[in-house]
Amino acid sequence: MLDLVQEMQEREVSLDAGTYAFAMHACRATGQWTQCLALLEGLRRVPPPSLFEDEEEDVEYDEDDNPHDLVEEGSLDAVEAEVREVDGPVRLLAYNRAMSCLQRAGQWKLTIDLLDELIAHPTLKPDQKAFTTAMWACEQGGQWERAAELLEDMRYKHRIDTTRQTYLATISACEKAGEHDRAVFLLGRAAKLWLFMDLFDTSGVYHVHQFPLAVARTAIRLALADMQNRPDKRWSHDVNKGDLTILTARDGKSVHREVVGLLRSEYAGKVECREEGEDRVVLTGASLRQWAQQGV
């Protein structure tokens, strides 16, 4: 596909936005991020489609006729807008594929630059996919402040619904940077938005194995902080119901060693924990009740 596009460019064959988007998909699949950037540069030079750009030169009109007037008065603008409305999503798709290709290749700064370009674009607007990709790029590059800024801008400035993935990326970026309190706050807010209902269940089991390590650690910090700070309005575990079981491994995914390390380093002498095999850790109900009372 890429060879075909290159040949078409060499022969000066006009390419539309859809062709570029399709070629960028091939770049993303093969990790060819430099070629993807070259294709994006070509897309930038493609003008928006026009209704009359392909008029035949040999068509004769009366000298008083304007070909644009042949379209019913008042309908030309609507039809032109419809044509451009179809072109816009295709161009946005191309940008999203370019961002995804760059982010997968570890080019986090270039990924964020493309989001900034979309934000400043006169006609295109970034969507959920663009923001999500940029936030994971921020996580890759250790840019936790920018990730947090994008999360807020996405929700309040651009009026785009935040998602589980946008929170995962931002929480992970903050936790890795040592911004544990901010990460805990964000996970708590996401839980109120019902984005992490599979994290815990009513039987007192905490399912942290399914999340990235940074998010798993944040989930444990949130659960323990919640027991102290909001004893009457817990969103996770009721200490009066006994032990809290933390499931740390399943289906080949494991954060067991790291979870045990967190509990023994940050909560040593405060919360009693015991390992049950290599897939779960139990926090005893008695120690959790004492922990909760310390915060009252």
Side-chain angles (χ1 to χ4, degrees):
M1 178 62 193
L2 297 177
D3 292 339
L4 178 59
V5 170
Q6 184 177 1
E7 182 180 348
M8 294 172 70
Q9 289 175 325
E10 291 174 353
R11 296 186 178 184
E12 299 184 350
V13 177
S14 297
L15 303 179
D16 60 13
T19 303
Y20 279 107
F22 192 75
M24 288 179 192
H25 176 71
C27 289
R28 183 180 62 173
T30 55
Q32 301 182 66
W33 65 271
T34 54
Q35 289 88 335
C36 193
L37 282 180
L39 289 169
L40 183 60
E41 184 58 34
L43 175 63
R44 293 188 181 108
R45 294 194 295 266
V46 176
S50 174
L51 290 178
F52 295 98
E53 62 184 4
D54 296 324
E55 288 176 346
E56 297 181 2
E57 296 182 357
D58 58 349
V59 175
E60 296 183 359
Y61 301 100
D62 292 338
E63 58 181 9
D64 295 329
D65 285 339
N66 184 327
H68 288 235
D69 294 336
L70 300 179
V71 180
E72 183 179 351
E73 184 178 359
S75 67
L76 176 59
D77 290 341
V79 176
E80 185 87 14
E82 184 174 346
V83 172
R84 292 174 182 265
E85 186 177 347
V86 174
D87 179 72
V90 177
R91 289 175 184 265
L92 179 58
L93 174 63
Y95 269 88
N96 281 339
R97 287 177 172 175
M99 291 178 65
S100 180
C101 180
L102 291 169
Q103 189 263 327
R104 289 184 180 187
Q107 300 296 318
W108 60 268
K109 188 177 186 306
L110 291 174
T111 306
I112 298 171
D113 288 344
L114 284 188
L115 178 68
D116 290 336
E117 181 179 331
L118 275 177
I119 292 174
H121 200 281
T123 58
L124 300 179
K125 300 300 177 185
D127 58 5
Q128 280 184 345
K129 175 66 176 176
F131 274 100
T132 302
T133 303
M135 288 178 196
W136 279 115
C138 290
E139 192 264 358
Q140 284 180 326
Q143 305 297 305
W144 70 268
E145 292 175 299
R146 186 66 198 280
E149 177 187 2
L150 289 177
L151 184 69
E152 299 305 309
D153 286 351
M154 178 182 180
R155 186 180 185 188
Y156 296 109
K157 182 183 293 185
H158 299 278
R159 302 298 180 182
I160 300 174
D161 290 337
T162 50
T163 66
R164 180 183 176 106
Q165 282 295 317
T166 57
Y167 273 99
L168 282 174
T170 308
I171 291 167
S172 184
C174 291
E175 201 277 342
K176 287 183 177 180
E179 296 292 323
H180 298 162
D181 290 343
R182 182 178 291 270
V184 166
F185 167 76
L186 290 174
L187 183 56
R189 188 171 76 179
K192 293 178 182 178
L193 297 174
W194 306 97
L195 296 177
F196 289 90
M197 291 307 297
D198 56 342
L199 176 58
F200 60 92
D201 60 39
T202 56
S203 63
V205 178
Y206 223 50
H207 301 266
V208 303
H209 65 281
Q210 60 189 316
F211 297 102
L213 176 59
V215 179
R217 288 194 293 242
T218 300
I220 293 172
R221 292 187 182 105
L222 173 61
L224 292 171
D226 188 73
M227 293 174 195
Q228 285 192 338
N229 298 333
R230 298 188 298 138
D232 298 324
K233 299 174 65 177
R234 302 182 185 92
W235 69 270
S236 54
H237 180 69
D238 185 348
V239 296
N240 295 315
K241 292 184 178 180
D243 297 347
L244 170 61
T245 299
I246 303 173
L247 192 61
T248 57
R250 177 177 287 180
D251 300 330
K253 299 178 180 179
S254 177
V255 291
H256 183 81
R257 183 179 62 181
E258 293 83 0
V259 166
V260 172
L262 169 70
L263 292 169
R264 289 179 176 172
S265 61
E266 294 187 17
Y267 301 96
K270 303 173 183 177
V271 176
E272 180 184 352
C273 67
R274 66 174 185 270
E275 296 181 66
E276 293 189 351
E278 296 183 353
D279 65 348
R280 66 190 61 206
V281 177
V282 175
L283 307 184
T284 65
S287 67
L288 291 178
R289 284 191 292 273
Q290 291 180 352
W291 169 262
Q293 290 173 0
Q294 294 174 14
V296 177

